[in-house]
Amino acid sequence: MPAFATNMRFKFPIVALTLEILTIILYAVFVVYDDGKPSHDHHNDHNKTSETSPVILYPMFQDVHVMIFIGFGFLMTFLKRYGFSSVGLNLLLAAFGLQWGLLLQNVWHLEDGKIKVNILKMINADFSTATVLISFGAVLGKTSPVQLLIMTLLEITTFAINEHIVVEMLKVSDIGASMTIHAFGAYFGLAVARMLYRPGLRNGHENDGSVYHSDLFAMIGTVYLWMFWPSFNSAIADPGMPQLTAIINTYFSLAACALSAYATSSLVEHKGKLDMVHIQNATLAGGVAVGTCANMSIGPFGAMIIGLLAGIISTVGFKFLTPILAANLGIQDTCGVHNLHGMPGILGGLAGIVAVALGKLEGTDPAMQAAGLASSLGFALVGGAITGLIMKLPFWGQPPDQNCFDDSIYWEVPEEEDESEESLAHGDHSKNKAEA
Amino acid sequence: MPAFATNMRFKFPIVALTLEILTIILYAVFVVYDDGKPSHDHHNDHNKTSETSPVILYPMFQDVHVMIFIGFGFLMTFLKRYGFSSVGLNLLLAAFGLQWGLLLQNVWHLEDGKIKVNILKMINADFSTATVLISFGAVLGKTSPVQLLIMTLLEITTFAINEHIVVEMLKVSDIGASMTIHAFGAYFGLAVARMLYRPGLRNGHENDGSVYHSDLFAMIGTVYLWMFWPSFNSAIADPGMPQLTAIINTYFSLAACALSAYATSSLVEHKGKLDMVHIQNATLAGGVAVGTCANMSIGPFGAMIIGLLAGIISTVGFKFLTPILAANLGIQDTCGVHNLHGMPGILGGLAGIVAVALGKLEGTDPAMQAAGLASSLGFALVGGAITGLIMKLPFWGQPPDQNCFDDSIYWEVPEEEDESEESLAHGDHSKNKAEA
Amino acid sequence: MPAFATNMRFKFPIVALTLEILTIILYAVFVVYDDGKPSHDHHNDHNKTSETSPVILYPMFQDVHVMIFIGFGFLMTFLKRYGFSSVGLNLLLAAFGLQWGLLLQNVWHLEDGKIKVNILKMINADFSTATVLISFGAVLGKTSPVQLLIMTLLEITTFAINEHIVVEMLKVSDIGASMTIHAFGAYFGLAVARMLYRPGLRNGHENDGSVYHSDLFAMIGTVYLWMFWPSFNSAIADPGMPQLTAIINTYFSLAACALSAYATSSLVEHKGKLDMVHIQNATLAGGVAVGTCANMSIGPFGAMIIGLLAGIISTVGFKFLTPILAANLGIQDTCGVHNLHGMPGILGGLAGIVAVALGKLEGTDPAMQAAGLASSLGFALVGGAITGLIMKLPFWGQPPDQNCFDDSIYWEVPEEEDESEESLAHGDHSKNKAEA
C-alpha cells in the first residue's frame, strides 16, 4: 500500500530539519533582542512594558508556557495507547510553531527592518501554537508527524493573517482569543478532520478510548489548564485594572463552569455517574467562553453566568452533538474540540458582541466584533479545508485505519509489564538504556 | 436499601446547580472588582498592595492555586481505585469552595456595601478551600459528592467565623495558618469521620491501599505541595522582610523535615524500608508546623528544629497513632490527616505561643495565641460533629461499605487494559469519544 | 553476604539524622536572614536585588525549584520498577543538598561572620543540588540511600570549591552553568559509576528499561525541565538586558534542539521510529549547551544553532556512544547523563570560549573560559573517582546486582493490581493506610 508508507526514516527528518534550518536563516536575517529603545518607525504599543522591567511579564509567560506544553500535552494523553504521541508530538509541534509564529505574527510591523523579541512577543508566539494544538486534538491518532508539521506551518500562517486583520485592521477586542485562537483552532481542525474523513472508523476503534491511568494523566493537563487560564486571558492585557479584571473574570468563570459541567455530566449520563471526558474538557469551557470579554467590566457575576452556560453547552455537546457530527457530517473529532473550543469560542465571541454593545469596553464596536468572529470562522474553515487537502496527499505517511490511535506506528514502544515475563522467555526486547 | 440510593442523577445536579445559582445571585449583589480606590469605611489593610501594581501578588496566588488543585488533588490519588474522585472531586469542591469562601470571609467588612475582589482576596478564598480538602482526606472514599458539597458549605462557613474571631478579634498571628487552616481542617474532618464511623471497615477494605502507579501519581501532589509551601506561608505576609522571612523559614523547615521523615520512616518500618505513606505525607509536616511562626524571626535554625520535630511526630503518628484512633476511637482517617495537618498544626500553634512569648513578633500576645489555638480546635470539633450528623442523613447517597474507595460508584470507569481483549469478545464497552 | 547488608534500619536513619543535626548546628552559628543592610566587609554583588524588593527573584526561584524536584525527579521515573526511588530519593538528596550547598557556597565570603540568606542564595543552593541529581542519574538503580547521601555531601563540597575557583577567582562567565554544573555533574557521576562498575550488569538487567506508563511519568520531568530552562539560565543573571537575553537565548535554543532531537531520533532508529529515551533527554540538550553563552549577545539564531547541534550530538550519543562506554570503558551510565549533561556541557563551554573570543560579553577572557572548563572537568573526574572509592566501601548497603533497578529493596512496595486478586486468596498484604 504505497499510500500507507508510514516509515518516517527519511521523510520526517528531512522535513523537520529543513523547516528548522530555514527558520534559523530567517532568524539570522530578521530577529534581534528587544533592547527597549524606541525604533524610528515605532508604533503605539500599549503592552510595551519595558519601561519598567523587561521581564515583568515573565511569570505570565511561564504560566502560558505550562498551559501549552503540559496542559495541552497531557490533556490529550487520555487515549490508552497514544500517550507518547500526545505529549511528545505536542512538544514537537509547539516547539516549531512558536518559532514560526514569532516570525509570522511580527512580519507585519518590523522595527528598523527587524523583529525585536521580548517577553510579550514570546507570549504571543506561544499563543499562536495553541491554534495548532487545538486542531491536533481533532485529528489526534489519525495523522503522521509529517502531516502535523505541515499543518503547523499552514495553520500558523493562516492564523497570523486572520489575527492581523481582526486585531490590527478591524480593531476587534479579543483579549483571551475566544475567536482568534479557540474558535479558529477548532474549526480549522474540524475542516481538516472532514477532509481526512475515515469511513473505516465509523464503528469506532478498539484504541479510541481511555484506560484508568490514561485518564489520570489527562487530568494533569486539565487541572493545569484550569488553574492557569486566568494567565492566558490576561497575559497581554493592558497593565493595571484591565489585567486584574481579566484575571478575576476568568477565575470566576472557570469556577462556575466547573459546577455546571459536573452537574450536567451527572444529569446526562447513565445512572447519574460522572464522565471523565466531560470533566477533563467541559470544566475548561468557561475559560474559553470568557476570553473575549475577559478585560471588560462585565462584573464577576457576568463572568460566572458565561462560565455556567459554557459548562452546560460543552457537556451537552460531548454527549449529543459529537456523535451526530461523526455519523452525519463525516467529522471525526477525536478530542471533541468542537465542544471545548468551538462552541464555547463562538459563545465567547457572541458574549463579546453583547458586552461591547452594552458599552463594557471603550473604543470597541459591536459590528466590528461580529466581523472579527466571522473572519475567524471563515479563515478557519477555508484554511482548514485547503490544509486538509494538502495533508491528504498520499506521501506524508498517514497511518492506515487499523494503526490509528496507536503509538507503536511512529514510536518505539516498550513491552508491557504484564507481558514481560512471557517476552523474557522469547528474549527480552525491552529498552535497555545503558546497553541499547 | 434506601439508605444507599447512590444514584446521583438528580440529587447531585440539583444540589450543585442550586448552590451555584445562589452564589451567582449573591455575587451580583455584593461582589465588584477592586478598583484600588479607598472606600468611605476603609479600614487599615496592611496587605493592600494595589498602590504598586494590582497583580503583584499574582505569582504567589498561582503557587497557592497549584497547591490547592494539583497538590491536594494528586496527593489523594494514592488509592488504587479512587483517583478520579480524588483529583476530580478535589476540583469540584475547591471550585465551589473558593466562591463561597470569598463571600464568607469578606462579609464581615464590606466596603461601601460591596466586596471588592483583588488578588489578595483570591488567595484567601483559595486558602479557605484548603480546610475542606484536608477534611476530605479524612473521609476520602466513604462519602458521596452531595455529602461533600454539603461539607464544603458548612465547613467554610465555620472556618470563616473562627478565622474572623481569631485573626480579626483576638489579633492572633497565624500567617501560615497552622491553627486556623491545618489544625482546624484536620479536627473538623476527624469529627466528621467519627460521626460517619463504619464498623464494616474495621478490618480494612480491599481497595483501601495503593498500587505502584497510584503512589507515583500521589508523589506529584506531594512534591508540588513541598515546593510551593513557602508561597502558602508567605503569600499574605506583609511585603518586605516579613514575607522574605516566611519564605526562608518554610524553605528550611521543609528541608529539615524531609530528612527526619525519611530517617524516621526507615527506623520504624520492617527491615528499615521506606514507606510511601510517610514520604508522601510526613515530608510536608514541616510546612504545616512552621506556619504560625513563619513570619517571626525565629532564625533559619529555629525553623529547621520545628521541621525536624514535625517530620518525626508525623511519621510516628502514621505508624502508631492512626491504627489506635481507628481501632479504639472509631476515627477512620483515610489519608491520615491527623498526622499531616492535625498534630503538626497543633505543634505550629504551640511553637507560635513560645515564639511570641520570646518576643519574636511585635504586637502579639502569647495568651491570645493560645486562645486562637483553642478556638480553632473548638470550632473544628463542634462544627465537624454537627456537619457529620447532617451528612449522615440517609438521603445524600452515601456509598455502602463494599463500594467504598471505588470510583465506579459515582464515575463511568473505563475497562482495564488487561481485561480489554476479554471484554472485546463480549462487545467492547470502552469509552469512544467520537461516537459515544 | 556482608557486603550486601542492605537493611537500612539503623545505618540510614543514623547517617541522615547526624547530617541534619550537624547542619542545624552550623546554621545556628552561621546563618541569618538577609535584612538588606550592607555589612562592614560588603563586597560588590551585582545580583543584589534587595534595593527593590527582597522577593523579586522569587518566581525565578520557584521555576528552578520545580526543575530540581519535579524535573529531575520525574525524568528518572522512566525505569519500570524504580519510580519511588527516582522521585523519592531525588527529594531526599535535594533537601539535604540545598542545606549543605548554602553553607558551602557562602563560607567563602561571610558578611560580619554570617551567611545572610536571601532568594538569590536559595537559587544558588538549589543549583548546587543539580550537580548531585545529574550524578544520581549515572548511578541510578545501583546505589543505596546511604551511598547517595555520602555522594551528596562530597559532591557539593567539591562543586563549591570548583565554583569558587572558576567564578570568583578566574572570573569565568558561566551564567547557565554548562561547565560548573552540567559538565561537572556528569563527569563526576561517570567517575563514580566507573568506580562502582558492575560486571554482572554487562548483559543488561531485566528491570533496566521502561514500561509504557513509566515513560509517561518521565515526560512530566522532561517537559518541566524544557519549559523552565530559561529560568535556570537567567535566574542569577544581572537584571535588565542580560537577564532578558538569557531567557530569549534559552527559549530558542531549546526550540531548535527539540526539532533536531526528533529528526535525529527518527534518522538513527529502526524503521524511522522515535525513541522515548531520546525525546525525554536530547530535547533538553539545547538548554545545557546554551548555558554558558546565555547572557551573551550571540543573537537568537546563534542560540538556535547551538541548540540544533546539541540535539544532534545528544541523540547520537545515546544511540552510539553509551553502549561503547559501557562495553569498553566500564562506565554504566543508567540515564545517559553523558549525552544530556556531559557532551552538551562541554559544547556549552566551547561555545562560550568562541563567543567570548568574538567579544560577545565584556570583561571576559577566552583563556580564562578554557581554564574554567578544564578546572570543572578536572575537579569532577578526580572528585568523582575519590567519592566513588569511598562509596565502594562495603558497609553502605549497596544492592547486589540482582536487586538493582528495583524499588523493593529499599521501599515497601504495594502489590500490583493484576496480582491483587491472587494475593487476596492468600491474604491481602496491600498497604492499608488507616489500619497499618
Side-chain angles (χ1 to χ4, degrees):
Chain A
M1 268 187 298
F4 294 137
T6 57
N7 187 323
M8 293 281 114
R9 181 136 195 194
F10 296 106
K11 60 182 79 157
F12 172 72
I14 288 169
V15 170
L17 285 178
T18 303
L19 287 174
E20 184 58 43
I21 290 167
L22 175 72
T23 303
I24 293 179
I25 293 169
L26 290 169
Y27 270 62
V29 177
F30 286 114
V31 182
V32 297
Y33 310 113
D34 184 358
D35 55 9
K37 292 173 196 147
S39 63
H40 292 109
D41 47 347
H42 189 71
H43 66 288
N44 187 23
D45 188 344
H46 285 299
N47 294 307
K48 196 100 177 189
T49 52
S50 49
E51 303 93 40
T52 48
S53 158
V55 300
I56 201 164
L57 281 175
Y58 187 69
M60 284 280 184
F61 161 72
Q62 280 295 2
D63 289 355
V64 172
H65 220 40
V66 171
M67 293 177 74
I68 296 294
F69 290 91
I70 288 283
F72 281 103
F74 276 90
L75 182 60
M76 293 188 278
T77 59
F78 73 95
L79 289 174
K80 65 179 81 160
R81 302 299 300 169
Y82 210 63
F84 290 9
S85 301
S86 296
V87 70
L89 297 184
N90 187 87
L91 172 60
L92 174 71
L93 303 183
F96 173 63
L98 66 88
Q99 298 176 68
W100 190 246
L102 190 123
L103 281 174
L104 268 284
Q105 289 185 309
N106 294 290
V107 76
W108 315 94
H109 28 70
L110 300 175
E111 302 176 65
D112 303 331
K114 298 289 184 188
I115 295 168
K116 297 189 173 182
V117 192
N118 55 26
I119 307 291
L120 180 67
K121 290 199 176 78
M122 287 162 59
I123 293 173
N124 277 313
D126 266 33
F127 279 169
S128 74
T129 71
T131 60
V132 178
L133 304 179
I134 292 166
S135 301
F136 181 29
V139 298
L140 192 76
K142 299 169 296 192
T143 42
S144 76
V146 175
Q147 287 181 299
L148 292 168
L149 280 176
I150 291 166
M151 186 174 84
T152 304
L153 187 76
L154 299 179
E155 179 163 3
I156 287 184
T157 306
T158 316
F159 160 75
I161 296 168
N162 178 61
E163 189 197 34
H164 184 71
I165 292 171
V166 170
V167 176
E168 303 286 332
M169 294 171 62
L170 302 182
K171 305 289 178 198
V172 171
S173 182
D174 191 25
I175 197 72
S178 304
M179 299 181 284
T180 51
I181 291 178
H182 294 289
F184 177 89
Y187 288 98
F188 194 103
L190 295 171
V192 171
R194 182 65 193 83
M195 291 298 132
L196 302 182
Y197 176 59
R198 288 170 180 265
L201 298 182
R202 283 203 65 154
N203 299 315
H205 187 291
E206 176 195 356
N207 285 332
D208 185 14
S210 65
V211 288
Y212 194 74
H213 284 114
S214 69
D215 270 326
L216 276 178
F217 278 113
M219 282 302 283
I220 299 173
T222 296
V223 177
Y224 270 102
L225 289 169
W226 196 91
M227 293 187 301
F228 288 168
W229 216 293
S231 304
F232 193 96
N233 283 353
S234 72
I236 61 170
D238 290 344
M241 274 306 291
Q243 193 168 39
L244 179 67
T245 303
I247 289 168
I248 292 173
N249 283 339
T250 310
Y251 179 70
F252 286 119
S253 176
L254 285 163
C257 178
L259 273 281
S260 70
Y262 273 82
T264 311
S265 181
S266 170
L267 203 60
V268 300
E269 277 298 315
H270 182 58
K271 292 191 187 168
K273 293 187 182 184
L274 299 165
D275 188 320
M276 259 293 169
V277 177
H278 306 160
I279 303 311
Q280 284 160 6
N281 292 279
T283 50
L284 302 169
V288 173
V290 83
T292 302
C293 297
N295 62 341
M296 304 183 189
S297 51
I298 55 175
F301 80 97
M304 291 157 89
I305 290 170
I306 291 172
L308 187 89
L309 293 175
I312 294 169
I313 289 170
S314 184
T315 309
V316 169
F318 274 102
K319 184 68 183 176
F320 301 109
L321 195 53
T322 295
I324 292 173
L325 291 182
N328 298 353
L329 298 182
I331 299 171
Q332 295 159 325
D333 178 4
T334 310
C335 294
V337 301
H338 187 239
N339 311 303
L340 171 49
H341 301 279
M343 291 191 295
I346 291 180
L347 174 62
L350 297 175
I353 295 169
V354 172
V356 163
L358 294 173
K360 300 294 184 192
L361 190 72
E362 280 179 41
T364 49
D365 176 349
M368 287 297 108
Q369 295 291 124
L373 178 57
S375 171
S376 299
L377 295 177
F379 271 96
L381 290 170
V382 174
I386 295 169
T387 300
L389 283 173
I390 294 170
M391 289 167 71
K392 209 176 178 174
L393 294 174
F395 40 81
W396 305 127
Q398 184 171 328
D401 288 351
Q402 68 270 27
N403 296 107
C404 282
F405 312 111
D406 189 346
D407 280 331
S408 65
I409 188 167
Y410 302 119
W411 294 80
E412 300 282 347
V413 172
E415 303 276 328
E416 266 316 280
E417 222 164 335
D418 48 351
E419 300 162 13
S420 61
E421 274 178 51
E422 192 186 337
S423 75
L424 277 170
H426 307 282
D428 190 358
H429 302 297
S430 74
K431 216 164 23 177
N432 182 315
K433 304 215 171 193
E435 312 285 330
Chain B
M1 267 187 297
F4 294 137
T6 58
N7 187 326
M8 293 280 115
R9 183 139 195 191
F10 295 105
K11 60 183 79 157
F12 173 71
I14 288 170
V15 171
L17 285 178
T18 303
L19 288 175
E20 184 57 44
I21 289 167
L22 175 72
T23 304
I24 293 179
I25 293 169
L26 290 170
Y27 270 61
V29 177
F30 286 114
V31 182
V32 296
Y33 309 114
D34 183 357
D35 55 10
K37 291 172 197 149
S39 62
H40 293 110
D41 48 347
H42 190 70
H43 66 289
N44 187 25
D45 187 345
H46 284 299
N47 294 308
K48 196 104 179 187
T49 53
S50 49
E51 302 91 40
T52 48
S53 158
V55 299
I56 201 163
L57 281 174
Y58 187 68
M60 283 282 183
F61 161 72
Q62 279 294 1
D63 289 355
V64 172
H65 220 39
V66 171
M67 293 177 74
I68 296 294
F69 290 92
I70 288 283
F72 282 103
F74 276 91
L75 183 60
M76 293 187 278
T77 59
F78 73 95
L79 289 174
K80 65 178 81 163
R81 303 299 300 168
Y82 210 64
F84 290 11
S85 301
S86 297
V87 70
L89 297 184
N90 187 88
L91 172 60
L92 174 71
L93 302 184
F96 172 63
L98 65 88
Q99 298 176 67
W100 191 245
L102 191 124
L103 281 174
L104 268 284
Q105 289 184 309
N106 294 290
V107 76
W108 315 95
H109 29 70
L110 300 175
E111 302 176 65
D112 302 331
K114 297 289 184 186
I115 295 168
K116 298 190 173 182
V117 191
N118 55 27
I119 306 291
L120 181 68
K121 290 200 176 79
M122 286 161 60
I123 292 172
N124 277 314
D126 266 34
F127 278 168
S128 75
T129 71
T131 60
V132 177
L133 304 178
I134 292 165
S135 301
F136 182 29
V139 298
L140 192 75
K142 299 169 296 193
T143 41
S144 77
V146 174
Q147 286 181 300
L148 292 168
L149 280 176
I150 291 164
M151 186 175 83
T152 304
L153 187 76
L154 298 179
E155 180 163 3
I156 288 184
T157 306
T158 316
F159 160 76
I161 295 169
N162 179 60
E163 189 196 35
H164 184 71
I165 292 171
V166 171
V167 176
E168 303 286 332
M169 295 171 62
L170 303 181
K171 304 290 178 196
V172 171
S173 182
D174 191 24
I175 197 71
S178 304
M179 299 181 283
T180 51
I181 291 177
H182 294 289
F184 176 88
Y187 289 98
F188 193 102
L190 295 171
V192 171
R194 182 65 193 82
M195 292 298 132
L196 302 182
Y197 175 59
R198 289 171 180 265
L201 298 182
R202 283 201 66 152
N203 299 315
H205 187 292
E206 177 195 356
N207 285 332
D208 184 14
S210 66
V211 289
Y212 195 73
H213 285 115
S214 68
D215 270 327
L216 276 177
F217 277 113
M219 282 302 284
I220 298 174
T222 297
V223 178
Y224 269 102
L225 289 169
W226 196 91
M227 294 187 300
F228 289 167
W229 215 293
S231 304
F232 193 96
N233 283 353
S234 72
I236 61 169
D238 290 343
M241 274 307 290
Q243 192 168 40
L244 179 67
T245 302
I247 290 169
I248 292 173
N249 283 339
T250 311
Y251 179 70
F252 286 119
S253 176
L254 285 162
C257 178
L259 273 280
S260 69
Y262 272 83
T264 310
S265 181
S266 170
L267 204 60
V268 300
E269 277 298 315
H270 183 58
K271 291 190 187 169
K273 293 187 181 183
L274 299 165
D275 188 319
M276 259 294 170
V277 177
H278 307 159
I279 304 311
Q280 285 159 4
N281 292 280
T283 51
L284 302 168
V288 173
V290 83
T292 302
C293 296
N295 61 342
M296 304 184 190
S297 52
I298 55 175
F301 81 97
M304 291 158 88
I305 291 170
I306 291 172
L308 187 89
L309 292 176
I312 294 168
I313 289 170
S314 183
T315 309
V316 169
F318 274 104
K319 184 68 183 177
F320 302 108
L321 195 53
T322 296
I324 293 173
L325 291 183
N328 299 351
L329 298 182
I331 299 170
Q332 294 159 326
D333 177 5
T334 310
C335 293
V337 300
H338 187 239
N339 311 302
L340 171 48
H341 301 279
M343 291 190 294
I346 291 178
L347 175 63
L350 298 175
I353 295 169
V354 173
V356 164
L358 294 173
K360 298 297 183 190
L361 190 71
E362 279 178 43
T364 47
D365 176 347
M368 287 297 109
Q369 295 291 123
L373 180 56
S375 172
S376 300
L377 296 178
F379 271 97
L381 291 170
V382 175
I386 294 169
T387 301
L389 283 174
I390 294 169
M391 289 168 71
K392 211 177 178 174
L393 295 174
F395 40 80
W396 305 127
Q398 183 170 328
D401 288 351
Q402 69 269 26
N403 296 107
C404 281
F405 313 111
D406 189 347
D407 280 332
S408 65
I409 188 166
Y410 303 119
W411 295 80
E412 301 281 347
V413 172
E415 302 277 327
E416 267 314 281
E417 222 165 337
D418 48 352
E419 301 162 13
S420 61
E421 275 179 51
E422 192 187 337
S423 74
L424 278 170
H426 307 281
D428 189 358
H429 302 296
S430 74
K431 215 164 25 177
N432 183 315
K433 303 215 173 192
E435 312 285 330
Chain C
M1 269 187 297
F4 294 136
T6 57
N7 187 324
M8 293 281 114
R9 183 139 194 191
F10 296 105
K11 59 182 81 159
F12 173 73
I14 289 170
V15 171
L17 285 178
T18 304
L19 287 175
E20 184 58 44
I21 290 167
L22 175 71
T23 304
I24 292 179
I25 293 169
L26 290 170
Y27 270 62
V29 177
F30 286 114
V31 182
V32 297
Y33 309 114
D34 184 357
D35 55 10
K37 292 173 197 148
S39 62
H40 292 109
D41 47 346
H42 190 71
H43 67 289
N44 187 24
D45 188 344
H46 284 298
N47 294 308
K48 195 101 180 188
T49 53
S50 49
E51 301 94 40
T52 48
S53 158
V55 300
I56 201 163
L57 281 174
Y58 187 69
M60 284 281 181
F61 161 72
Q62 279 295 1
D63 289 356
V64 172
H65 219 41
V66 171
M67 293 178 73
I68 296 295
F69 290 91
I70 288 283
F72 282 102
F74 276 91
L75 183 60
M76 294 187 278
T77 59
F78 73 96
L79 289 174
K80 65 179 80 161
R81 303 298 301 167
Y82 210 63
F84 290 9
S85 300
S86 297
V87 70
L89 297 184
N90 186 88
L91 172 60
L92 174 71
L93 303 183
F96 172 63
L98 65 87
Q99 298 176 67
W100 190 246
L102 190 124
L103 281 174
L104 267 285
Q105 289 184 310
N106 294 291
V107 76
W108 315 94
H109 29 70
L110 300 175
E111 303 176 65
D112 302 331
K114 298 289 184 187
I115 296 168
K116 298 190 173 181
V117 190
N118 54 27
I119 307 291
L120 180 69
K121 290 199 177 79
M122 287 162 59
I123 293 173
N124 276 315
D126 266 33
F127 279 169
S128 75
T129 71
T131 60
V132 177
L133 304 179
I134 292 166
S135 302
F136 182 29
V139 299
L140 192 75
K142 299 168 297 194
T143 41
S144 76
V146 175
Q147 286 181 300
L148 292 168
L149 279 176
I150 291 165
M151 186 175 83
T152 304
L153 186 76
L154 298 178
E155 180 164 2
I156 287 185
T157 307
T158 316
F159 160 77
I161 296 169
N162 178 61
E163 189 196 35
H164 184 71
I165 292 171
V166 171
V167 175
E168 303 286 332
M169 294 171 61
L170 302 181
K171 304 290 178 197
V172 171
S173 183
D174 191 25
I175 197 72
S178 304
M179 299 181 284
T180 51
I181 291 177
H182 294 289
F184 176 88
Y187 289 98
F188 193 102
L190 295 170
V192 171
R194 181 66 192 81
M195 290 299 131
L196 302 181
Y197 175 60
R198 289 171 180 264
L201 298 182
R202 284 201 66 153
N203 299 316
H205 187 292
E206 177 196 355
N207 284 333
D208 184 14
S210 64
V211 288
Y212 195 73
H213 285 114
S214 68
D215 271 328
L216 276 177
F217 278 112
M219 282 302 283
I220 298 174
T222 297
V223 177
Y224 269 102
L225 289 169
W226 197 91
M227 293 188 301
F228 288 167
W229 216 291
S231 303
F232 193 96
N233 284 353
S234 72
I236 61 169
D238 290 343
M241 275 305 290
Q243 193 168 39
L244 179 67
T245 303
I247 290 169
I248 292 172
N249 283 339
T250 310
Y251 179 70
F252 286 119
S253 176
L254 284 163
C257 178
L259 273 280
S260 70
Y262 273 83
T264 311
S265 181
S266 170
L267 203 60
V268 300
E269 278 298 315
H270 182 59
K271 292 191 187 169
K273 293 187 181 182
L274 299 165
D275 188 320
M276 258 294 168
V277 178
H278 306 159
I279 303 313
Q280 284 159 6
N281 292 279
T283 50
L284 302 169
V288 174
V290 84
T292 302
C293 297
N295 61 341
M296 304 184 190
S297 52
I298 55 177
F301 81 98
M304 291 157 89
I305 291 170
I306 291 171
L308 187 88
L309 293 175
I312 294 168
I313 289 170
S314 183
T315 310
V316 169
F318 274 103
K319 183 70 184 176
F320 301 109
L321 195 54
T322 296
I324 293 172
L325 292 182
N328 298 352
L329 298 182
I331 299 171
Q332 294 160 325
D333 178 4
T334 310
C335 293
V337 301
H338 187 238
N339 310 302
L340 171 48
H341 301 279
M343 291 190 295
I346 291 179
L347 174 63
L350 297 175
I353 295 169
V354 173
V356 164
L358 294 172
K360 299 294 185 194
L361 189 72
E362 279 179 43
T364 48
D365 176 348
M368 287 297 109
Q369 295 292 124
L373 179 57
S375 172
S376 299
L377 296 177
F379 271 96
L381 291 169
V382 175
I386 295 168
T387 301
L389 284 173
I390 294 169
M391 289 167 70
K392 210 176 177 175
L393 293 175
F395 40 80
W396 306 127
Q398 183 170 328
D401 288 351
Q402 67 270 25
N403 296 107
C404 281
F405 312 111
D406 189 346
D407 280 331
S408 64
I409 188 167
Y410 302 120
W411 295 80
E412 301 282 346
V413 173
E415 303 276 326
E416 267 315 281
E417 221 163 339
D418 48 350
E419 300 162 13
S420 60
E421 275 179 51
E422 192 187 336
S423 74
L424 277 171
H426 307 283
D428 190 358
H429 303 297
S430 73
K431 211 163 28 177
N432 184 314
K433 303 215 173 196
E435 313 284 330

